[in-house]
Amino acid sequence: SLAVPEARGKLFGEPVQISGSTRNDGAVVFEASGGITPAAARQHWESPLFAHLSGLAAWRSTIQVRGGGAAVVVESSLDGLASSLPSPLNKSAADEWPLKVEMDLQPAAAGDRIRVSLGNVGAAEVLGHGGQEGWRATRGAIALHQPVKLPDKGLSFRATLPEVDIDAWRRIGRQTGVATAAPPTGPFACDREE
């Protein structure tokens, strides 16, 4: 059995607290909490999007390991983090946008499931599995101001927005290497599957 009442250290350049224990059913559970800045995140996950974020966000996580698989939950209110990304992802540091990431990681044959929710802004769900060539998504859905609807195959994007700045998002697309066409401006609804 495992018993870690409380360990302290640093993660992402910020103080972190970690505890762990073995439950009666044999599962090993870790709990952690800390903070992260966009600059620190960029050192681990390269993305031009981090250049549009500033501040510090507190987070907490639970990791449960059992039977060859793991269930990971990461949550943050994103209070303290500002975003200069175009709407609907623009926020001040004072705004609270509850972020929740749930990862059900299983052996390759069973596959993994990842769910992400961001307050009332959007959500995503992805199914996939790891292999010799790395992790690969098999099905997935992203939704903004709509419920997530996982397609039978491929990836889908659904959005309903009262207004969208297409030019601003095209600039973001060029920064990330994603080519973007110019749809009409004004109220915007999109339902696309690939």
Side-chain angles (χ1 to χ4, degrees):
S1 65
L2 174 73
V4 182
E6 184 175 287
R8 296 176 182 268
K10 277 199 169 186
L11 182 63
F12 307 124
E14 301 295 328
V16 64
Q17 297 180 359
I18 302 173
S19 62
S21 62
T22 301
R23 297 192 323 199
N24 292 336
D25 62 1
V28 177
V29 180
F30 296 93
E31 294 184 347
S33 61
I36 190 169
T37 65
R42 194 169 187 173
Q43 294 178 10
H44 298 272
W45 306 285
E46 181 59 36
S47 171
L49 297 180
F50 289 125
H52 299 270
L53 306 178
S54 60
L56 172 70
W59 58 268
R60 63 184 180 277
S61 177
T62 301
I63 303 172
Q64 178 177 311
V65 181
R66 183 181 181 188
V72 181
V73 178
V74 181
E75 296 180 275
S76 174
S77 69
L78 299 186
D79 178 30
L81 187 73
S83 169
S84 62
L85 288 165
S87 178
L89 299 182
N90 183 276
K91 74 179 286 291
S92 72
D95 293 335
E96 291 193 4
W97 284 11
L99 171 67
K100 186 173 186 178
V101 180
E102 300 174 275
M103 294 178 281
D104 184 11
L105 310 176
Q106 299 297 329
D112 305 327
R113 181 184 297 267
I114 301 174
R115 294 188 180 97
V116 180
S117 62
L118 182 60
N120 60 3
V121 177
E125 183 171 352
V126 180
L127 302 183
H129 56 80
Q132 294 182 346
E133 299 179 356
W135 199 86
R136 179 181 177 86
T138 54
R139 286 195 293 154
I142 300 173
L144 298 176
H145 298 289
Q146 285 198 21
V148 172
K149 182 181 178 183
L150 200 63
D152 293 333
K153 62 179 180 178
L155 304 174
S156 73
F157 175 76
R158 301 165 58 89
T160 300
L161 303 171
E163 184 176 335
V164 61
D165 188 339
I166 298 299
D167 289 335
W169 278 111
R170 291 181 72 198
R171 288 191 291 272
I172 297 295
R174 286 194 292 270
Q175 293 173 10
T176 58
V178 177
T180 55
T185 59
F188 178 70
C190 175
D191 190 339
R192 180 174 181 176
E193 296 189 5
E194 295 184 348

